[in-house]
Amino acid sequence: MDKHTCRACYGSAGDLVLDLGEQPACDYFPRYDDPGPDPVYPLQMWLCSSCGLAQLLADPTVPEEPRGTEPAALVAQAADAVERVTAAGYLPDRGVVAEYGSPHGGSWLDLLAARGLAPSGPGGQADVILDCFGLMHAADQHRALAERAARVAPGGVLLLQYHALSTIIGYRQWNALRHGHFAYYSTTALTAMLAAVGFSPRTAWHFDLYGGTVLLAASRDSEGNGGPDDVVRTLLAQDARIGVRDRSAFAGLQRDVHAHATALHDWLVAERSAGRTVLGYGAASRAVALLCHAHVDRALLPAVIDASPAKQGLRMPGTDIPVAGTARLAAGRPDAVLLFVPDLLAEVRDAYPGVEAAGGRWVDAETLGSRSLQ
Ligand SMILES: [Zn+2]
């Protein structure tokens, strides 16, 4: 195998820190009548010894564009973030914004337009360059960040939002690793990446989304903005405590793959033995890795419900479990609904009160097996 080169600093020293083995592409949902087997590819995380960026080792998959429905939690977080960034004085009263969004959706442009910020023309400079879960989709991380930084107008700000690596390690979110997501940022590694393009973090905001999401504001070093504030320094100290640059800190993540999968499998077997009906909810990428590792089939989980019309008639990759529409929730009268996207809990409880009214309960698939903060 060719030696891996860091996606950010192009260094070659580093370690394989998480190995999920051969996995189907998590964003390619076969038609339900496609008997498989689905092609599988290695899914591994590598930690750069030089810059500290945790990254996808190789990605032989071809990205699909699965249009999911936008969770209410994501929409609410965007509004909250725009409020907080404005209150902190990081959004100009008027000006130009360029957004690098995620292919999975979640634009802030309407919210920013309401604040007087107009979208920039293609490739043009902007007072605010916003990247909301977009950068992780770039295979060449340095080039992608350099492109964003170059578009920041004099005196402007670069806003980067990411699911924090400290969250992934601390909450043992091993199934955050997926094809198509090339980087898993710590504030520490991102600070090094920013330094390479002449930028420094100035402040940050923390959100509960995905268990812990950070929005970082950075600006040009040459503009002398006084360096990182206490919020950034606290995030860096937290990174150091968790050990985001230390390969041994990832050992718990690797151990938890088997423990989590076993806990899920055992729980489903126990529910079936007790004569209880379980359905899944949320045909998300992290559900794919979890179901495959736990060897769950439709005998254990007859369907995964998803609100996205684009996923109807398909099945979960690597399994024979169909994706079903929300009507199945009422018809199936499940005793339990296994929720693969915990951020959806408040939304689905509101949207489908019949589940609990009929005596059913929502179960968080991520915390089965009582995983918790270190
Ligand atoms: Zn590196």
mmCIF file of all heavy atoms in Angstrom, residues 5-13 46-53 55 193, ligand 1:
data_model
loop_
_atom_site.group_PDB
_atom_site.id
_atom_site.type_symbol
_atom_site.label_atom_id
_atom_site.label_comp_id
_atom_site.label_asym_id
_atom_site.label_seq_id
_atom_site.Cartn_x
_atom_site.Cartn_y
_atom_site.Cartn_z
ATOM 1 N N THR A 5 -0.391 10.256 2.891
ATOM 2 C CA THR A 5 0.096 11.612 3.094
ATOM 3 C C THR A 5 -1.018 12.416 3.745
ATOM 4 O O THR A 5 -2.166 12.352 3.303
ATOM 5 C CB THR A 5 0.468 12.242 1.735
ATOM 6 O OG1 THR A 5 1.474 11.436 1.131
ATOM 7 C CG2 THR A 5 0.986 13.647 1.905
ATOM 8 N N CYS A 6 -0.665 13.149 4.790
ATOM 9 C CA CYS A 6 -1.672 13.921 5.534
ATOM 10 C C CYS A 6 -2.442 14.843 4.596
ATOM 11 O O CYS A 6 -1.864 15.521 3.746
ATOM 12 C CB CYS A 6 -1.005 14.736 6.641
ATOM 13 S SG CYS A 6 -2.172 15.811 7.513
ATOM 14 N N ARG A 7 -3.752 14.871 4.792
ATOM 15 C CA ARG A 7 -4.624 15.690 3.958
ATOM 16 C C ARG A 7 -4.466 17.181 4.243
ATOM 17 O O ARG A 7 -4.941 18.005 3.463
ATOM 18 C CB ARG A 7 -6.093 15.278 4.188
ATOM 19 C CG ARG A 7 -6.355 13.831 3.839
ATOM 20 C CD ARG A 7 -7.805 13.449 4.025
ATOM 21 N NE ARG A 7 -8.004 12.030 3.732
ATOM 22 C CZ ARG A 7 -8.108 11.530 2.497
ATOM 23 N NH1 ARG A 7 -8.032 12.337 1.454
ATOM 24 N NH2 ARG A 7 -8.270 10.240 2.310
ATOM 25 N N ALA A 8 -3.794 17.517 5.366
ATOM 26 C CA ALA A 8 -3.617 18.932 5.713
ATOM 27 C C ALA A 8 -2.175 19.394 5.565
ATOM 28 O O ALA A 8 -1.903 20.374 4.879
ATOM 29 C CB ALA A 8 -4.108 19.186 7.133
ATOM 30 N N CYS A 9 -1.235 18.692 6.201
ATOM 31 C CA CYS A 9 0.149 19.187 6.210
ATOM 32 C C CYS A 9 1.042 18.414 5.247
ATOM 33 O O CYS A 9 2.222 18.741 5.103
ATOM 34 C CB CYS A 9 0.723 19.152 7.622
ATOM 35 S SG CYS A 9 1.128 17.491 8.216
ATOM 36 N N TYR A 10 0.507 17.373 4.611
ATOM 37 C CA TYR A 10 1.217 16.532 3.642
ATOM 38 C C TYR A 10 2.368 15.740 4.269
ATOM 39 O O TYR A 10 3.217 15.214 3.560
ATOM 40 C CB TYR A 10 1.703 17.362 2.435
ATOM 41 C CG TYR A 10 0.595 18.159 1.758
ATOM 42 C CD1 TYR A 10 0.804 19.483 1.353
ATOM 43 C CD2 TYR A 10 -0.658 17.607 1.530
ATOM 44 C CE1 TYR A 10 -0.217 20.222 0.744
ATOM 45 C CE2 TYR A 10 -1.677 18.329 0.925
ATOM 46 C CZ TYR A 10 -1.456 19.628 0.533
ATOM 47 O OH TYR A 10 -2.462 20.357 -0.071
ATOM 48 N N GLY A 11 2.400 15.678 5.593
ATOM 49 C CA GLY A 11 3.380 14.840 6.270
ATOM 50 C C GLY A 11 3.001 13.374 6.129
ATOM 51 O O GLY A 11 1.855 13.042 5.804
ATOM 52 N N SER A 12 3.970 12.486 6.359
ATOM 53 C CA SER A 12 3.673 11.063 6.195
ATOM 54 C C SER A 12 3.740 10.288 7.506
ATOM 55 O O SER A 12 3.472 9.092 7.530
ATOM 56 C CB SER A 12 4.627 10.443 5.173
ATOM 57 O OG SER A 12 5.954 10.655 5.582
ATOM 58 N N ALA A 13 4.082 10.950 8.605
ATOM 59 C CA ALA A 13 4.152 10.254 9.892
ATOM 60 C C ALA A 13 2.789 10.290 10.565
ATOM 61 O O ALA A 13 2.180 11.361 10.698
ATOM 62 C CB ALA A 13 5.195 10.915 10.790
ATOM 63 N N TRP A 46 -6.958 7.799 10.500
ATOM 64 C CA TRP A 46 -5.507 7.972 10.649
ATOM 65 C C TRP A 46 -5.270 9.299 11.362
ATOM 66 O O TRP A 46 -5.946 10.292 11.077
ATOM 67 C CB TRP A 46 -4.898 7.982 9.248
ATOM 68 C CG TRP A 46 -3.404 7.974 9.111
ATOM 69 C CD1 TRP A 46 -2.582 6.881 9.112
ATOM 70 C CD2 TRP A 46 -2.549 9.100 8.855
ATOM 71 N NE1 TRP A 46 -1.284 7.255 8.880
ATOM 72 C CE2 TRP A 46 -1.231 8.614 8.727
ATOM 73 C CE3 TRP A 46 -2.766 10.481 8.735
ATOM 74 C CZ2 TRP A 46 -0.131 9.441 8.479
ATOM 75 C CZ3 TRP A 46 -1.680 11.310 8.494
ATOM 76 C CH2 TRP A 46 -0.379 10.787 8.364
ATOM 77 N N LEU A 47 -4.321 9.305 12.284
ATOM 78 C CA LEU A 47 -4.013 10.523 13.044
ATOM 79 C C LEU A 47 -2.626 11.012 12.653
ATOM 80 O O LEU A 47 -1.627 10.295 12.820
ATOM 81 C CB LEU A 47 -4.057 10.217 14.549
ATOM 82 C CG LEU A 47 -3.772 11.387 15.481
ATOM 83 C CD1 LEU A 47 -4.889 12.434 15.419
ATOM 84 C CD2 LEU A 47 -3.610 10.892 16.924
ATOM 85 N N CYS A 48 -2.549 12.230 12.127
ATOM 86 C CA CYS A 48 -1.267 12.793 11.697
ATOM 87 C C CYS A 48 -0.413 13.165 12.906
ATOM 88 O O CYS A 48 -0.869 13.871 13.796
ATOM 89 C CB CYS A 48 -1.503 14.026 10.828
ATOM 90 S SG CYS A 48 0.033 14.809 10.291
ATOM 91 N N SER A 49 0.823 12.679 12.906
ATOM 92 C CA SER A 49 1.726 13.000 14.019
ATOM 93 C C SER A 49 2.232 14.438 13.942
ATOM 94 O O SER A 49 2.650 15.003 14.945
ATOM 95 C CB SER A 49 2.946 12.074 14.010
ATOM 96 O OG SER A 49 2.543 10.742 14.132
ATOM 97 N N SER A 50 2.204 15.005 12.744
ATOM 98 C CA SER A 50 2.755 16.356 12.590
ATOM 99 C C SER A 50 1.745 17.431 12.960
ATOM 100 O O SER A 50 1.990 18.226 13.857
ATOM 101 C CB SER A 50 3.233 16.564 11.150
ATOM 102 O OG SER A 50 4.180 15.572 10.819
ATOM 103 N N CYS A 51 0.602 17.458 12.290
ATOM 104 C CA CYS A 51 -0.367 18.538 12.540
ATOM 105 C C CYS A 51 -1.509 18.109 13.447
ATOM 106 O O CYS A 51 -2.263 18.944 13.929
ATOM 107 C CB CYS A 51 -0.914 19.086 11.218
ATOM 108 S SG CYS A 51 -2.062 17.980 10.384
ATOM 109 N N GLY A 52 -1.655 16.798 13.670
ATOM 110 C CA GLY A 52 -2.682 16.321 14.598
ATOM 111 C C GLY A 52 -4.059 16.136 13.997
ATOM 112 O O GLY A 52 -5.014 15.872 14.725
ATOM 113 N N LEU A 53 -4.184 16.250 12.673
ATOM 114 C CA LEU A 53 -5.515 16.071 12.068
ATOM 115 C C LEU A 53 -5.889 14.591 11.998
ATOM 116 O O LEU A 53 -5.152 13.782 11.422
ATOM 117 C CB LEU A 53 -5.568 16.685 10.662
ATOM 118 C CG LEU A 53 -6.944 16.579 9.981
ATOM 119 C CD1 LEU A 53 -7.983 17.422 10.704
ATOM 120 C CD2 LEU A 53 -6.875 16.962 8.503
ATOM 121 N N GLN A 55 -8.115 11.850 10.326
ATOM 122 C CA GLN A 55 -8.641 11.866 8.960
ATOM 123 C C GLN A 55 -8.967 10.473 8.446
ATOM 124 O O GLN A 55 -8.473 9.473 8.962
ATOM 125 C CB GLN A 55 -7.628 12.529 8.037
ATOM 126 C CG GLN A 55 -6.251 11.902 8.095
ATOM 127 C CD GLN A 55 -5.157 12.864 7.595
ATOM 128 O OE1 GLN A 55 -4.862 12.872 6.414
ATOM 129 N NE2 GLN A 55 -4.579 13.652 8.485
ATOM 130 N N MET A 193 -3.885 23.992 11.117
ATOM 131 C CA MET A 193 -4.257 24.140 9.703
ATOM 132 C C MET A 193 -4.444 25.608 9.341
ATOM 133 O O MET A 193 -4.056 26.060 8.255
ATOM 134 C CB MET A 193 -5.559 23.369 9.410
ATOM 135 C CG MET A 193 -5.390 21.857 9.442
ATOM 136 S SD MET A 193 -6.990 21.003 9.372
ATOM 137 C CE MET A 193 -7.602 21.516 7.761
HETATM 138 ZN ZN ZN B 1 -0.860 16.569 9.120
#
